[in-house]
Protein backbone atom coordinates (compact mmCIF):
# COMPACT_ATOMS: atom_id res chain seq x y z
CA UNK A 1 0.00 0.00 0.00
CA UNK A 2 1.50 3.30 -1.07
CA UNK A 3 0.01 6.77 -1.12
CA UNK A 4 1.39 10.17 -1.93
CA UNK A 5 0.88 13.84 -1.31
CA UNK A 6 1.75 15.90 -4.36
CA UNK A 7 1.74 19.63 -3.65
CA UNK A 8 2.56 22.26 -6.24
CA UNK A 9 4.85 24.85 -4.62
CA UNK A 10 2.79 27.78 -5.86
CA UNK A 11 1.52 28.96 -2.49
CA UNK A 12 1.60 28.24 1.24
CA UNK A 13 0.18 24.99 2.60
CA UNK A 14 -3.58 25.59 2.60
CA UNK A 15 -5.91 23.95 5.14
CA UNK A 16 -7.47 21.91 2.32
CA UNK A 17 -4.11 20.62 1.11
CA UNK A 18 -3.07 19.89 4.69
CA UNK A 19 -6.22 17.79 5.04
CA UNK A 20 -5.31 15.88 1.83
CA UNK A 21 -1.79 15.33 3.18
CA UNK A 22 -3.15 14.23 6.56
CA UNK A 23 -5.68 11.76 5.11
CA UNK A 24 -2.95 10.16 2.98
CA UNK A 25 -0.54 10.04 5.90
CA UNK A 26 -3.18 8.59 8.26
CA UNK A 27 -4.17 5.97 5.74
CA UNK A 28 -0.53 4.95 5.24
CA UNK A 29 0.15 4.80 8.99
CA UNK A 30 -3.10 2.92 9.56
CA UNK A 31 -2.31 0.30 6.91
CA UNK A 32 1.43 0.06 7.45
CA UNK A 33 1.99 1.41 3.93
CA UNK A 34 4.29 4.10 2.57
CA UNK A 35 3.66 7.84 2.34
CA UNK A 36 5.49 9.61 -0.47
CA UNK A 37 5.98 13.33 -0.93
CA UNK A 38 6.20 14.47 -4.53
CA UNK A 39 6.73 18.07 -5.52
CA UNK A 40 4.81 18.99 -8.66
CA UNK A 41 7.00 21.83 -9.80
CA UNK A 42 6.62 21.75 -13.56
CA UNK A 43 5.00 25.17 -13.66
CA UNK A 44 8.26 27.09 -13.66
CA UNK A 45 6.73 30.54 -13.48
CA UNK A 46 4.51 29.87 -10.49
CA UNK A 47 6.70 27.48 -8.49
CA UNK A 48 8.85 29.18 -5.86
CA UNK A 49 11.52 27.82 -3.54
CA UNK A 50 10.07 29.93 -0.74
CA UNK A 51 6.71 28.14 -1.04
CA UNK A 52 8.37 24.74 -1.09
CA UNK A 53 10.27 25.55 2.12
CA UNK A 54 7.10 26.69 3.77
CA UNK A 55 5.13 23.60 2.71
CA UNK A 56 7.85 21.32 4.08
CA UNK A 57 8.02 23.32 7.33
CA UNK A 58 4.27 23.13 7.80
CA UNK A 59 4.18 19.38 7.14
CA UNK A 60 6.98 18.83 9.66
CA UNK A 61 5.27 21.08 12.19
CA UNK A 62 2.10 18.99 11.83
CA UNK A 63 4.19 15.85 12.30
CA UNK A 64 3.41 14.40 8.84
CA UNK A 65 6.68 12.65 8.09
CA UNK A 66 7.30 11.10 4.68
CA UNK A 67 9.01 7.80 3.96
CA UNK A 68 11.26 8.41 0.98
CA UNK A 69 13.40 11.20 -0.33
CA UNK A 70 11.56 14.13 -1.83
CA UNK A 71 10.69 13.65 -5.48
CA UNK A 72 10.78 16.67 -7.77
CA UNK A 73 8.94 16.43 -11.07
CA UNK A 74 11.21 19.07 -12.58
CA UNK A 75 14.06 16.55 -12.35
CA UNK A 76 12.15 13.87 -14.23
CA UNK A 77 11.46 15.58 -17.56
CA UNK A 78 13.23 12.89 -19.59
CA UNK A 79 10.92 10.27 -18.18
CA UNK A 80 7.77 12.14 -19.21
CA UNK A 81 9.22 12.73 -22.66
CA UNK A 82 10.02 9.03 -22.99
CA UNK A 83 6.40 8.10 -22.33
CA UNK A 84 5.14 10.86 -24.63
CA UNK A 85 7.31 9.42 -27.38
CA UNK A 86 5.79 6.02 -26.76
CA UNK A 87 2.32 7.48 -27.33
CA UNK A 88 3.53 9.16 -30.55
CA UNK A 89 5.18 5.95 -31.78
CA UNK A 90 2.00 4.00 -31.21
CA UNK A 91 -0.11 6.58 -33.00
CA UNK A 92 -2.05 7.47 -29.85
CA UNK A 93 -0.84 11.06 -29.87
CA UNK A 94 0.07 13.70 -32.46
CA UNK A 95 2.29 16.75 -32.56
CA UNK A 96 1.00 20.26 -33.02
CA UNK A 97 2.48 23.68 -33.54
CA UNK A 98 2.68 25.05 -30.08
CA UNK A 99 1.79 28.40 -28.80
CA UNK A 100 4.17 30.20 -26.54
CA UNK A 101 3.14 32.78 -24.06
CA UNK A 102 5.39 35.80 -24.20
CA UNK A 103 6.36 37.52 -20.96
CA UNK A 104 3.65 40.17 -21.30
CA UNK A 105 1.03 37.46 -21.33
CA UNK A 106 -0.15 37.62 -24.94
CA UNK A 107 -0.05 34.50 -27.04
CA UNK A 108 2.43 34.69 -29.90
CA UNK A 109 2.91 32.40 -32.86
CA UNK A 110 6.48 33.51 -33.30
CA UNK A 111 8.05 30.46 -34.93
CA UNK A 112 11.54 31.44 -33.85
CA UNK A 113 10.55 31.12 -30.21
CA UNK A 114 8.88 27.75 -30.48
CA UNK A 115 11.38 25.29 -29.14
CA UNK A 116 9.42 22.18 -29.98
CA UNK A 117 6.01 20.97 -30.95
CA UNK A 118 3.45 20.15 -28.32
CA UNK A 119 2.38 16.51 -27.96
CA UNK A 120 -1.36 15.95 -27.89
CA UNK A 121 -3.21 12.79 -26.92
CA UNK A 122 -6.14 11.67 -29.07
CA UNK A 123 -9.28 11.04 -27.07
CA UNK A 124 -11.57 8.41 -28.62
CA UNK A 125 -15.18 9.58 -28.40
CA UNK A 126 -18.12 7.49 -27.29
CA UNK A 127 -16.43 5.54 -24.50
CA UNK A 128 -17.71 5.31 -20.95
CA UNK A 129 -15.11 5.63 -18.18
CA UNK A 130 -16.13 4.10 -14.88
CA UNK A 131 -14.60 5.06 -11.56
CA UNK A 132 -15.42 3.41 -8.27
CA UNK A 133 -14.46 6.28 -6.03
CA UNK A 134 -13.50 5.28 -2.48
CA UNK A 135 -15.42 8.22 -1.10
CA UNK A 136 -18.18 8.95 -3.62
CA UNK A 137 -18.89 5.48 -4.98
CA UNK A 138 -19.44 4.81 -8.71
CA UNK A 139 -18.94 7.69 -11.17
CA UNK A 140 -19.32 7.45 -14.97
CA UNK A 141 -18.03 9.85 -17.62
CA UNK A 142 -18.54 9.76 -21.39
CA UNK A 143 -15.38 10.58 -23.35
CA UNK A 144 -17.52 12.72 -25.67
CA UNK A 145 -17.15 15.38 -23.00
CA UNK A 146 -13.34 15.23 -23.03
CA UNK A 147 -11.32 17.01 -25.67
CA UNK A 148 -7.88 15.92 -26.87
CA UNK A 149 -5.37 16.26 -24.05
CA UNK A 150 -2.03 18.03 -24.07
CA UNK A 151 0.72 15.68 -22.91
CA UNK A 152 3.84 17.78 -23.37
CA UNK A 153 3.52 21.53 -23.79
CA UNK A 154 5.49 23.43 -26.39
CA UNK A 155 7.90 24.56 -23.70
CA UNK A 156 8.88 20.92 -23.25
CA UNK A 157 7.19 20.48 -19.87
CA UNK A 158 4.50 17.88 -19.24
CA UNK A 159 0.98 18.82 -18.24
CA UNK A 160 -0.14 18.06 -14.68
CA UNK A 161 -2.41 15.18 -15.76
CA UNK A 162 0.30 13.43 -17.73
CA UNK A 163 3.16 13.82 -15.24
CA UNK A 164 0.85 12.78 -12.43
CA UNK A 165 -0.09 9.51 -14.18
CA UNK A 166 3.48 8.65 -15.16
CA UNK A 167 4.67 9.25 -11.60
CA UNK A 168 1.80 7.53 -9.82
CA UNK A 169 2.30 4.50 -12.05
CA UNK A 170 6.11 4.43 -11.86
CA UNK A 171 6.01 4.89 -8.09
CA UNK A 172 3.38 2.18 -7.80
CA UNK A 173 0.94 4.33 -5.91
CA UNK A 174 -1.96 2.10 -4.88
CA UNK A 175 -4.41 4.77 -3.67
CA UNK A 176 -4.71 8.26 -5.11
CA UNK A 177 -6.38 10.37 -2.44
CA UNK A 178 -6.90 14.04 -3.27
CA UNK A 179 -9.39 16.87 -3.22
CA UNK A 180 -12.71 16.93 -5.06
CA UNK A 181 -11.36 19.69 -7.28
CA UNK A 182 -9.48 16.94 -9.14
CA UNK A 183 -12.50 14.77 -9.86
CA UNK A 184 -12.74 16.07 -13.43
CA UNK A 185 -9.06 15.21 -13.99
CA UNK A 186 -9.46 11.58 -13.03
CA UNK A 187 -11.17 10.32 -16.26
CA UNK A 188 -8.49 12.09 -18.32
CA UNK A 189 -5.83 10.41 -16.22
CA UNK A 190 -7.50 7.02 -16.62
CA UNK A 191 -7.23 7.43 -20.41
CA UNK A 192 -3.48 7.90 -19.98
CA UNK A 193 -3.20 4.85 -17.72
CA UNK A 194 -4.94 2.74 -20.33
CA UNK A 195 -2.95 4.11 -23.27
CA UNK A 196 0.36 3.47 -21.46
CA UNK A 197 -0.70 0.03 -20.27
CA UNK A 198 -0.40 0.89 -16.56
CA UNK A 199 -2.43 -0.71 -13.79
CA UNK A 200 -5.05 1.62 -12.31
CA UNK A 201 -4.76 2.69 -8.68
CA UNK A 202 -7.85 3.24 -6.55
CA UNK A 203 -9.13 6.80 -6.42
CA UNK A 204 -10.66 8.66 -3.50
CA UNK A 205 -11.75 12.28 -3.74
CA UNK A 206 -12.27 14.15 -0.51
CA UNK A 207 -14.94 16.87 -0.45
CA UNK A 208 -14.15 20.55 -0.19
CA UNK A 209 -13.76 22.52 2.99
CA UNK A 210 -16.29 25.32 3.24
CA UNK A 211 -16.34 28.48 5.30
CA UNK A 212 -19.10 29.27 7.79
CA UNK A 213 -21.29 30.72 5.00
CA UNK A 214 -20.99 27.43 3.08
CA UNK A 215 -18.94 28.90 0.26
CA UNK A 216 -15.54 27.44 -0.50
CA UNK A 217 -13.09 28.36 2.23
CA UNK A 218 -11.01 31.37 1.27
CA UNK A 219 -9.18 34.33 2.75
CA UNK A 220 -12.52 35.98 3.39
CA UNK A 221 -13.22 33.40 6.10
CA UNK A 222 -9.96 34.06 7.92
CA UNK A 223 -6.60 32.37 7.88
CA UNK A 224 -6.28 29.67 5.21
CA UNK A 225 -2.66 28.58 5.53
CA UNK A 226 -1.19 26.33 8.20
CA UNK A 227 1.54 28.90 8.71
CA UNK A 228 -0.98 31.51 9.85
CA UNK A 229 -2.50 29.16 12.44
CA UNK A 230 0.95 28.36 13.70
CA UNK A 231 1.66 32.08 14.08
CA UNK A 232 -1.65 32.61 15.86
CA UNK A 233 -0.68 30.23 18.63
CA UNK A 234 -2.47 27.03 17.66
CA UNK A 235 -0.83 23.76 18.62
CA UNK A 236 0.08 21.21 15.94
CA UNK A 237 -1.60 18.39 17.90
CA UNK A 238 -4.87 20.31 18.03
CA UNK A 239 -4.59 21.33 14.38
CA UNK A 240 -4.11 17.70 13.27
CA UNK A 241 -7.00 16.49 15.40
CA UNK A 242 -9.25 19.27 14.10
CA UNK A 243 -8.32 18.76 10.43
CA UNK A 244 -8.83 14.99 10.74
CA UNK A 245 -12.44 15.71 11.66
CA UNK A 246 -12.99 17.80 8.51
CA UNK A 247 -14.64 15.09 6.47
CA UNK A 248 -14.07 12.11 8.74
CA UNK A 249 -15.32 11.02 12.12
CA UNK A 250 -14.25 8.29 14.54
CA UNK A 251 -17.89 7.85 15.56
CA UNK A 252 -19.46 7.64 19.03
CA UNK A 253 -19.28 11.45 19.29
CA UNK A 254 -15.59 11.29 20.01
CA UNK A 255 -13.72 14.47 19.13
CA UNK A 256 -10.53 14.97 21.11
CA UNK A 257 -8.39 11.95 20.24
CA UNK A 258 -4.67 11.34 20.54
CA UNK A 259 -2.98 10.77 17.20
CA UNK A 260 -2.43 7.05 17.84
CA UNK A 261 -6.15 6.62 18.24
CA UNK A 262 -6.88 8.56 15.05
CA UNK A 263 -4.41 6.38 13.15
CA UNK A 264 -6.04 3.27 14.55
CA UNK A 265 -9.55 4.35 13.58
CA UNK A 266 -8.87 6.07 10.27
CA UNK A 267 -10.05 4.56 7.01
CA UNK A 268 -10.44 6.52 3.80
CA UNK A 269 -13.59 4.53 3.05
CA UNK A 270 -15.21 6.23 6.02
CA UNK A 271 -14.45 9.72 4.76
CA UNK A 272 -17.66 11.67 4.32
CA UNK A 273 -18.86 12.48 0.82
CA UNK A 274 -20.42 15.78 1.82
CA UNK A 275 -18.47 19.01 2.11
CA UNK A 276 -16.94 19.79 5.50
CA UNK A 277 -17.52 23.13 7.21
CA UNK A 278 -14.61 24.87 8.87
CA UNK A 279 -15.75 26.06 12.29
CA UNK A 280 -13.20 28.33 13.93
CA UNK A 281 -15.02 28.15 17.27
CA UNK A 282 -14.55 24.42 17.29
CA UNK A 283 -10.85 24.80 16.51
CA UNK A 284 -10.52 27.30 19.35
CA UNK A 285 -12.29 24.93 21.71
CA UNK A 286 -10.15 22.01 20.65
CA UNK A 287 -6.93 23.98 20.95
CA UNK A 288 -8.00 24.98 24.46
CA UNK A 289 -8.52 21.31 25.30
CA UNK A 290 -4.98 20.51 24.21
CA UNK A 291 -3.49 23.49 26.07
CA UNK A 292 -5.29 22.34 29.19
CA UNK A 293 -3.97 18.82 28.88
CA UNK A 294 -0.36 19.97 28.96
CA UNK A 295 1.27 20.14 32.35
CA UNK A 296 2.67 23.54 33.30
CA UNK A 297 6.21 22.64 32.34
CA UNK A 298 5.25 21.44 28.84
CA UNK A 299 3.23 24.55 28.23
CA UNK A 300 5.94 26.82 29.58
CA UNK A 301 8.43 25.23 27.16
CA UNK A 302 6.15 26.28 24.31
CA UNK A 303 5.71 29.80 25.66
CA UNK A 304 9.35 30.40 26.55
CA UNK A 305 10.74 31.60 23.18
CA UNK A 306 8.02 34.24 22.81
CA UNK A 307 8.24 35.34 26.45
CA UNK A 308 11.94 35.94 25.90
CA UNK A 309 11.59 37.65 22.57
CA UNK A 310 9.03 40.03 24.06
CA UNK A 311 11.58 40.87 26.72
CA UNK A 312 9.11 39.82 29.44
CA UNK A 313 11.51 37.40 31.09
CA UNK A 314 15.23 36.76 31.23
CA UNK A 315 17.36 33.74 32.01
CA UNK A 316 17.32 34.88 35.65
CA UNK A 317 13.54 34.81 35.99
CA UNK A 318 12.54 32.35 38.71
CA UNK A 319 11.42 29.01 37.23
CA UNK A 320 8.89 28.15 39.95
CA UNK A 321 7.29 31.53 39.63
CA UNK A 322 7.01 31.09 35.86
CA UNK A 323 5.37 27.71 36.30
CA UNK A 324 2.82 29.25 38.66
CA UNK A 325 1.98 32.01 36.19
CA UNK A 326 1.65 29.44 33.40
CA UNK A 327 -0.73 27.36 35.48
CA UNK A 328 -2.78 30.41 36.36
CA UNK A 329 -3.51 31.47 32.80
CA UNK A 330 -3.69 28.00 31.33
CA UNK A 331 -7.24 27.14 32.19
CA UNK A 332 -9.15 29.51 29.97
CA UNK A 333 -6.53 30.11 27.24
CA UNK A 334 -7.57 28.72 23.89
CA UNK A 335 -4.41 29.68 21.99
CA UNK A 336 -0.87 30.51 23.01
CA UNK A 337 -1.60 34.04 21.84
CA UNK A 338 -4.42 34.27 24.41
CA UNK A 339 -1.82 33.61 27.06
CA UNK A 340 0.28 36.58 25.94
CA UNK A 341 -2.75 38.84 25.49
CA UNK A 342 -4.03 38.05 28.95
CA UNK A 343 -0.92 37.87 31.06
CA UNK A 344 1.06 40.94 29.97
CA UNK A 345 0.37 42.85 33.19
CA UNK A 346 2.04 40.10 35.21
CA UNK A 347 5.31 40.49 33.36
CA UNK A 348 5.34 44.24 32.74
CA UNK A 349 4.05 47.29 34.59
CA UNK A 350 1.97 48.38 31.68
CA UNK A 351 -1.70 48.21 32.59
CA UNK A 352 -4.42 48.95 30.06
CA UNK A 353 -7.51 49.77 32.04
CA UNK A 354 -10.66 48.61 30.27
CA UNK A 355 -13.17 51.43 30.09
CA UNK A 356 -16.03 49.19 31.22
CA UNK A 357 -14.01 47.86 34.12
CA UNK A 358 -13.28 51.34 35.44
CA UNK A 359 -16.88 52.41 34.99
CA UNK A 360 -18.42 49.36 36.62
CA UNK A 361 -15.92 48.48 39.30
CA UNK A 362 -13.92 51.58 40.22
CA UNK A 363 -16.04 54.70 39.76
CA UNK A 364 -18.46 53.70 42.47
CA UNK A 365 -19.29 54.96 45.87
CA UNK A 366 -17.33 53.33 48.64
CA UNK A 367 -14.68 51.81 46.35
CA UNK A 368 -11.97 54.25 47.44
CA UNK A 369 -12.49 53.19 51.08
CA UNK A 370 -12.55 49.52 50.22
CA UNK A 371 -9.31 49.78 48.26
CA UNK A 372 -7.67 51.71 51.11
CA UNK A 373 -8.66 49.12 53.71
CA UNK A 374 -7.60 46.27 51.42
CA UNK A 375 -4.25 47.96 51.00
CA UNK A 376 -3.79 48.22 54.77
CA UNK A 377 -4.65 44.57 55.33
CA UNK A 378 -2.32 43.39 52.58
CA UNK A 379 0.48 45.55 53.95
CA UNK A 380 0.03 44.01 57.38
CA UNK A 381 0.07 40.38 56.20
CA UNK A 382 2.95 38.32 57.48
CA UNK A 383 3.39 36.23 54.38
CA UNK A 384 1.92 37.08 51.01
CA UNK A 385 0.37 33.80 49.86
CA UNK A 386 -2.94 33.09 48.15
CA UNK A 387 -4.26 31.48 51.35
CA UNK A 388 -3.37 34.36 53.65
CA UNK A 389 -4.56 36.94 51.10
CA UNK A 390 -7.91 35.17 50.85
CA UNK A 391 -8.22 35.06 54.65
CA UNK A 392 -7.52 38.78 54.92
CA UNK A 393 -10.05 39.68 52.21
CA UNK A 394 -12.82 37.57 53.72
CA UNK A 395 -12.18 38.96 57.16
CA UNK A 396 -12.31 42.50 55.82
CA UNK A 397 -15.58 41.75 54.02
CA UNK A 398 -17.11 40.46 57.25
CA UNK A 399 -16.03 43.52 59.17
CA UNK A 400 -17.32 45.95 56.57
CA UNK A 401 -20.49 43.88 56.21
CA UNK A 402 -20.04 43.59 52.46
CA UNK A 403 -19.62 40.62 50.14
CA UNK A 404 -16.12 39.31 49.35
CA UNK A 405 -16.93 40.05 45.70
CA UNK A 406 -17.17 43.76 46.55
CA UNK A 407 -13.50 43.62 47.40
CA UNK A 408 -12.39 41.15 44.78
CA UNK A 409 -13.85 43.02 41.79
CA UNK A 410 -12.22 46.43 42.30
CA UNK A 411 -8.92 44.89 43.42
CA UNK A 412 -8.82 42.82 40.24
CA UNK A 413 -9.34 45.91 38.09
CA UNK A 414 -6.71 47.78 40.10
CA UNK A 415 -4.02 45.16 39.58
CA UNK A 416 -4.89 44.05 36.03
CA UNK A 417 -7.04 46.74 34.42
CA UNK A 418 -9.51 44.00 33.50
CA UNK A 419 -12.88 42.64 34.54
CA UNK A 420 -11.86 39.05 33.99
CA UNK A 421 -8.84 37.01 34.85
CA UNK A 422 -7.54 34.09 36.86
CA UNK A 423 -8.40 33.48 40.51
CA UNK A 424 -7.64 36.75 42.29
CA UNK A 425 -5.84 35.42 45.38
CA UNK A 426 -3.42 33.34 43.31
CA UNK A 427 -2.98 36.26 40.96
CA UNK A 428 -2.03 38.62 43.81
CA UNK A 429 0.45 36.08 45.10
CA UNK A 430 2.30 35.82 41.78
CA UNK A 431 2.25 39.60 41.34
CA UNK A 432 3.85 40.00 44.73
CA UNK A 433 3.10 42.51 47.45
CA UNK A 434 5.06 45.45 46.03
CA UNK A 435 3.34 45.46 42.69
CA UNK A 436 -0.08 44.92 44.22
CA UNK A 437 0.26 47.81 46.66
CA UNK A 438 1.63 50.11 43.98
CA UNK A 439 -1.26 49.32 41.68
CA UNK A 440 -3.87 49.79 44.41
CA UNK A 441 -2.38 53.23 44.94
CA UNK A 442 -2.21 54.00 41.25
CA UNK A 443 -5.87 53.21 40.52
CA UNK A 444 -7.03 55.82 43.03
CA UNK A 445 -6.49 58.46 40.35
CA UNK A 446 -9.34 56.87 38.42
CA UNK A 447 -11.91 56.57 41.19
N1 LIG B 1 -0.22 19.12 -7.67
C1 LIG B 1 -1.61 18.79 -7.57
C2 LIG B 1 -2.27 19.76 -6.58
O1 LIG B 1 -1.55 20.34 -5.80
C3 LIG B 1 -1.75 17.37 -7.10
C4 LIG B 1 -3.08 16.76 -7.30
C5 LIG B 1 -3.03 15.26 -7.08
O2 LIG B 1 -2.92 14.87 -5.92
O3 LIG B 1 -3.09 14.53 -8.06
O4 LIG B 1 -3.45 19.96 -6.61
Amino acid sequence: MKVRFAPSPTGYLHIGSARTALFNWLYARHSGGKFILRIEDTDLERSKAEFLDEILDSLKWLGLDWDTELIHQSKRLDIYRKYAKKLLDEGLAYEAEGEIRSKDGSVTKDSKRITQKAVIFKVQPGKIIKINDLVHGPIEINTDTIKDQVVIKSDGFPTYNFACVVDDAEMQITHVIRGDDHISNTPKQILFYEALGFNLPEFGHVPLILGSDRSRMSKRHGATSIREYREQGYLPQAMVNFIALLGWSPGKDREVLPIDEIIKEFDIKNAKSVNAVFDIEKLNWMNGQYINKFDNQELLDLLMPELKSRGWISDQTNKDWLLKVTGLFKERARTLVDFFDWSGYVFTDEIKYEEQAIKKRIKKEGVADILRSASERLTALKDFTAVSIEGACRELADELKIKAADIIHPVRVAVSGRMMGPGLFELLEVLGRDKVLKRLEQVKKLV
Side-chain angles (χ1 to χ4, degrees):
M1 187 268 181
K2 216 182 203 182
V3 291
R4 84 311 190 263
F5 175 53
S8 308
T10 53
Y12 295 141
L13 187 68
H14 185 276
I15 287 277
S17 308
R19 198 257 322 253
T20 299
L22 177 62
F23 278 18
N24 277 288
W25 182 87
L26 284 172
Y27 199 36
R29 295 296 171 261
H30 173 85
S31 327
K34 288 246 181 301
F35 174 63
I36 288 183
L37 187 56
R38 182 173 78 224
I39 308 305
E40 303 208 321
D41 54 355
T42 54
D43 185 339
L44 286 188
E45 266 176 38
R46 292 175 60 226
S47 298
K48 300 244 155 39
E50 162 206 353
F51 292 136
L52 175 58
D53 290 345
E54 191 281 332
I55 290 171
L56 299 181
D57 271 359
S58 288
L59 290 172
K60 285 181 203 154
W61 182 71
L62 291 169
L64 307 184
D65 52 340
W66 50 96
D67 297 321
T68 53
E69 276 186 33
L70 272 190
I71 294 155
H72 293 265
Q73 286 192 325
S74 58
K75 294 183 185 152
R76 297 169 50 81
L77 299 179
D78 288 347
I79 299 172
Y80 310 125
R81 288 175 191 153
K82 180 185 88 187
Y83 283 105
K85 184 164 180 302
K86 186 168 180 248
L87 292 179
L88 283 171
D89 290 349
E90 292 174 8
L92 298 172
Y94 56 92
E95 286 184 300
E97 279 299 302
E99 289 177 333
I100 286 204
R101 258 170 218 287
S102 65
K103 280 271 175 275
D104 63 11
S106 61
V107 175
T108 61
K109 283 259 182 196
D110 179 352
S111 58
K112 267 176 283 167
R113 298 187 50 205
I114 293 173
T115 46
Q116 64 181 79
K117 287 176 178 166
V119 179
I120 316 241
F121 176 73
K122 281 187 248 177
V123 173
Q124 305 298 331
K127 268 182 60 187
I128 303 291
I129 301 169
K130 291 184 180 162
I131 307 167
N132 199 2
D133 192 283
L134 292 166
V135 179
H136 295 278
I139 301 172
E140 288 191 2
I141 303 98
N142 190 316
T143 54
D144 286 350
T145 62
I146 304 175
K147 58 180 191 330
D148 284 359
Q149 294 294 304
V150 179
V151 171
I152 304 282
K153 296 174 280 178
S154 52
D155 62 4
F157 283 79
T159 54
Y160 152 69
N161 276 324
F162 190 64
C164 182
V165 167
V166 168
D167 285 346
D168 285 341
E170 280 223 327
M171 292 160 200
Q172 298 178 316
I173 299 300
T174 56
H175 299 74
V176 169
I177 298 165
R178 59 188 166 203
D180 260 4
D181 45 339
H182 285 289
I183 252 183
S184 63
N185 285 321
T186 302
K188 299 169 189 167
Q189 295 189 1
I190 289 178
L191 292 175
F192 287 143
Y193 275 96
E194 289 172 348
L196 293 169
F198 293 143
N199 290 331
L200 280 178
E202 298 214 51
F203 291 96
H205 292 90
V206 206
L208 297 178
I209 299 176
L210 308 180
S212 45
D213 60 357
R214 314 270 148 162
S215 68
R216 189 174 179 169
M217 185 159 165
S218 70
K219 278 265 156 247
R220 269 183 315 116
H221 300 105
T224 52
S225 70
I226 294 299
R227 170 201 169 110
E228 287 166 281
Y229 287 96
R230 181 179 181 174
E231 285 165 0
Q232 289 174 17
Y234 291 90
L235 302 173
Q237 297 89 336
M239 233 30 229
V240 163
N241 191 156
F242 174 77
I243 294 174
L245 301 184
L246 290 172
W248 173 79
S249 155
K252 298 185 206 132
D253 284 336
R254 285 174 301 169
E255 299 213 287
V256 181
L257 279 84
I259 190 69
D260 293 346
E261 198 95 351
I262 299 180
I263 290 173
K264 204 172 109 211
E265 303 277 339
F266 188 85
D267 191 328
I268 191 65
K269 293 178 196 86
N270 298 337
K272 295 180 196 151
S273 57
V274 292
N275 292 333
V277 177
F278 185 97
D279 177 356
I280 187 74
E281 281 311 317
K282 181 164 172 183
L283 172 59
N284 288 337
W285 168 80
M286 186 164 287
N287 206 60
Q289 299 285 309
Y290 275 85
I291 288 184
N292 241 293
K293 276 202 288 189
F294 281 130
D295 65 33
N296 294 348
Q297 183 63 58
E298 285 171 312
L299 185 55
L300 179 58
D301 289 343
L302 291 173
L303 297 167
M304 213 57 153
E306 176 78 15
L307 286 170
K308 279 191 183 153
S309 83
R310 287 181 184 226
W312 285 4
I313 60 168
S314 70
D315 290 333
Q316 277 70 50
T317 309
N318 183 291
K319 248 325 199 2
D320 291 332
W321 179 79
L322 271 175
L323 286 170
K324 266 192 203 167
V325 177
T326 305
L328 211 48
F329 287 90
K330 180 168 86 173
E331 219 157 287
R332 286 173 52 242
R334 297 185 307 174
T335 65
L336 300 183
V337 172
D338 279 351
F339 182 93
F340 301 113
D341 286 349
W342 295 348
S343 66
Y345 61 82
V346 175
F347 297 99
T348 74
D349 282 321
E350 204 186 306
I351 301 180
K352 293 190 212 89
Y353 298 100
E354 292 170 357
E355 217 182 293
Q356 272 298 312
I358 295 299
K359 206 169 122 199
K360 282 184 108 162
R361 307 288 195 221
I362 301 292
K363 286 191 189 302
K364 266 173 66 178
E365 233 193 281
V367 165
D369 288 339
I370 291 174
L371 290 176
R372 188 175 331 102
S373 314
S375 221
E376 284 165 13
R377 301 292 164 113
L378 295 176
T379 309
L381 274 183
K382 209 164 129 271
D383 41 35
F384 204 74
T385 63
V387 175
S388 62
I389 295 167
E390 175 163 13
C393 287
R394 301 217 181 271
E395 209 178 273
L396 178 63
D398 283 348
E399 283 173 31
L400 297 179
K401 299 199 168 40
I402 57 177
K403 287 180 289 191
D406 295 329
I407 300 173
I408 291 170
H409 290 327
V411 171
R412 175 187 302 290
V413 177
V415 299
S416 71
R418 305 187 174 215
M419 296 270 266
M420 310 269 269
L424 183 75
F425 309 123
E426 287 82 9
L427 177 61
L428 296 188
E429 181 185 319
V430 302
L431 281 169
R433 183 164 8 214
D434 287 352
K435 274 193 176 167
V436 169
L437 294 178
K438 227 183 264 163
R439 291 178 189 187
L440 285 171
E441 187 60 32
Q442 186 179 310
V443 84
K444 283 186 188 156
K445 295 196 296 273
L446 303 171
V447 174

